[in-house]
Amino acid sequence: KKRKSHYHPHELELICQEVAYGALKLFGGSDQADSDGGEDQVIASALSLFALVGKDPEVRQRNLYEADKYGLNLPVQAMRIALRRIRSTDKDPTEQEERRSAELQRKGCLLLGALADGERDLATKVVDEGGLEAILDALDWYRFHEDVANWALWACFILCLEHPGNKAVFMQLGGIQKTCQAIENIPDSLEVARHGTAV
């Protein structure tokens, strides 16, 4: 006798999206981080989980048509707040705090690029929600960090590919200068040079 599967197509992906949004709502909106960096780790994990399922067509449909619950403003806001926290601390951040913050920004860039990959409407929505600006802010702040620069430039490429409106926003935000700066600051990285040149 065969066991019936209770799995429905897209069910797991939609649950993962719900969990990611739940975590972002709980931990992504605070300008005050806890002392052990646990909040940034939760946010980075939520962004990572969301990126894993971000190409699912039903997940994308939610992002497009259920923005009240699954708007892209939430992951973008989490990236911005985390970056603002690390930039505005009264004391110099520790190496561990910088590393956690960089990883959060890298995962945010990965998520925004993955959502927009091959999906013009989502690429527009990411930019409309300030995602391109958040990516370029991360690229500018972490201009010597190879992994952040690599994924930020990849995300910029995805958002601007065959999208003149997004390219115009990219140029208005100083994207060309920030891209050249990253390539210059990380000269030994083939991936940074490749993604930067592609942009």
Side-chain angles (χ1 to χ4, degrees):
K1 203 176 202 182
K2 284 188 179 178
R3 289 181 75 190
K4 280 191 173 181
S5 172
H6 294 290
Y7 175 74
H8 300 286
H10 312 287
E11 181 179 28
L12 181 60
E13 291 84 353
L14 294 173
I15 290 169
C16 289
Q17 183 186 33
E18 290 167 12
V19 169
Y21 267 85
L24 290 172
K25 286 175 185 171
L26 285 173
F27 298 101
S30 173
D31 276 324
Q32 302 296 320
D34 57 356
S35 59
D36 68 352
E39 286 183 11
D40 279 353
Q41 290 173 323
V42 170
I43 295 165
S45 295
L47 294 171
S48 197
L49 177 62
F50 189 10
L52 284 172
V53 298
K55 286 191 156 202
D56 181 83
E58 289 197 22
V59 167
R60 286 177 163 184
Q61 290 299 306
R62 275 183 169 175
N63 289 126
L64 281 171
Y65 302 113
E66 295 180 45
D68 55 324
K69 286 177 75 174
Y70 301 104
L72 297 176
N73 59 314
L74 203 55
V76 169
Q77 176 187 356
M79 287 177 68
R80 285 185 165 167
I81 289 172
L83 188 60
R84 186 169 58 229
R85 265 199 318 262
I86 202 74
R87 285 201 275 199
S88 67
T89 57
D90 293 336
K91 58 181 178 39
D92 286 337
T94 66
E95 186 177 329
Q96 187 176 16
E97 289 169 333
E98 281 280 347
R99 201 175 349 192
R100 276 195 301 262
S101 177
E103 184 63 5
L104 188 153
Q105 296 302 318
R106 182 188 73 81
K107 288 181 177 179
C109 293
L110 173 67
L111 165 65
L112 297 176
L115 283 171
D117 193 10
E119 181 61 55
R120 185 180 174 84
D121 291 341
L122 270 171
T124 301
K125 197 161 193 85
V126 167
V127 173
D128 289 349
E129 292 290 347
L132 184 56
E133 185 174 4
I135 291 166
L136 289 171
D137 286 347
L139 177 64
D140 189 42
W141 182 255
Y142 289 106
R143 59 186 159 270
F144 294 99
H145 193 289
E146 183 176 353
D147 290 334
V148 174
N150 179 43
W151 288 104
L153 292 170
W154 173 79
C156 288
F157 170 73
I158 294 297
L159 289 168
C160 295
L161 181 66
E162 298 180 12
H163 201 304
N166 286 358
K167 286 179 187 174
V169 173
F170 176 79
M171 293 190 313
Q172 290 169 355
L173 294 171
I176 294 172
Q177 294 84 350
K178 291 173 185 175
T179 298
C180 292
Q181 181 182 44
I183 294 170
E184 185 178 307
N185 290 338
I186 311 169
D188 296 331
S189 174
L190 182 62
E191 291 301 302
V192 169
R194 184 170 70 95
H195 289 131
T197 305
V199 172

